Amino acid sequence: MTNTTAIALATNYEKLQQLVETGEFSPEDIADTLEGIEGELGDKLDAIMHHVRNIEGQAKTLDEESKRLSDRKKSFENQAKNLKKYALNCLLASGLDKLKTTKNTFTARAGVVRVIIDNEALLPDELVDVQTITAPDKKSIKEAIENGLEIPGAHLEVGERSLMVR
């Protein structure tokens, strides 16, 4: 087997099709050549898809590992939070607000003041930020254009071709 790239095979196939249209080959020559090029191109594309599936599998494995590590991170963070809370409870139970050791200084800080909203509707307007979110209904716009309506500010466009492999 030659070391020909898939793109080169595809280009050769296109050139051969152009030659076929000019009639420079006999029908038998054309059939044999096309079959050979299609076979080689098919083998190359099969190899590409084998590699693609391998990469997709690796990406899925990394995604799963990322989720597992994220869960593990949360577990460690919760353990640290619980241990700090336990240390605070021990400090408070001893009646101390501050304790100095050779390695750390433990202080029971006063709580931080925070705002709790009981009923947002009762707040004065000058203390509320108003946010307006607009989002086009693309499904409805597509249906309207497909039904012959002209929608100012929108049009339909066919996207790039994509590869479907079964």
Side-chain angles (χ1 to χ4, degrees):
M1 180 176 223
T2 61
N3 193 12
T4 307
T5 64
I7 196 72
L9 287 171
T11 302
N12 290 343
Y13 185 73
E14 186 178 332
K15 287 178 185 175
L16 180 63
Q17 284 180 323
Q18 290 171 356
L19 288 175
V20 168
E21 293 171 4
T22 63
E24 293 184 27
F25 288 106
S26 71
E28 295 81 24
D29 291 340
I30 294 169
D32 289 345
T33 307
L34 281 176
E35 188 176 307
I37 290 175
E38 286 174 353
E40 288 181 30
L41 181 58
D43 291 344
K44 295 283 185 180
L45 295 179
D46 283 343
I48 289 169
M49 283 314 300
H50 177 76
H51 192 61
V52 165
R53 288 185 180 110
N54 186 23
I55 291 170
E56 289 172 341
Q58 290 177 5
K60 182 180 177 191
T61 299
L62 289 174
D63 185 48
E64 291 168 358
E65 183 67 5
S66 172
K67 289 175 185 171
R68 187 186 70 78
L69 289 173
S70 177
D71 290 344
R72 191 164 183 211
K73 175 187 171 195
K74 287 178 190 173
S75 174
F76 284 137
E77 289 171 344
N78 285 336
Q79 288 177 25
K81 180 181 172 185
N82 290 335
L83 287 171
K84 286 179 181 180
K85 190 173 183 178
Y86 176 72
L88 175 63
N89 288 338
C90 290
L91 187 62
L92 294 174
S94 70
L96 299 173
D97 284 334
K98 190 174 190 176
L99 175 66
K100 242 183 183 182
T101 68
T102 55
K103 295 183 180 180
N104 298 290
T105 300
F106 300 91
T107 305
R109 291 187 315 163
V112 179
V113 177
R114 57 189 178 118
V115 175
I116 306 297
I117 307 298
D118 298 316
N119 186 342
E120 195 174 304
L122 297 177
L123 296 173
D125 289 342
E126 63 271 7
L127 297 177
V128 177
D129 285 333
V130 177
Q131 296 177 358
T132 304
I133 299 173
T134 58
D137 182 354
K138 289 185 177 183
K139 184 179 177 185
S140 297
I141 292 170
K142 180 182 178 194
E143 288 174 8
I145 293 173
E146 285 175 341
N147 289 329
L149 293 175
E150 188 173 320
I151 306 296
H155 69 279
L156 297 181
E157 190 173 282
V158 177
E160 275 188 39
R161 294 183 70 172
S162 63
L163 180 66
M164 184 174 83
V165 180
R166 294 185 203 202

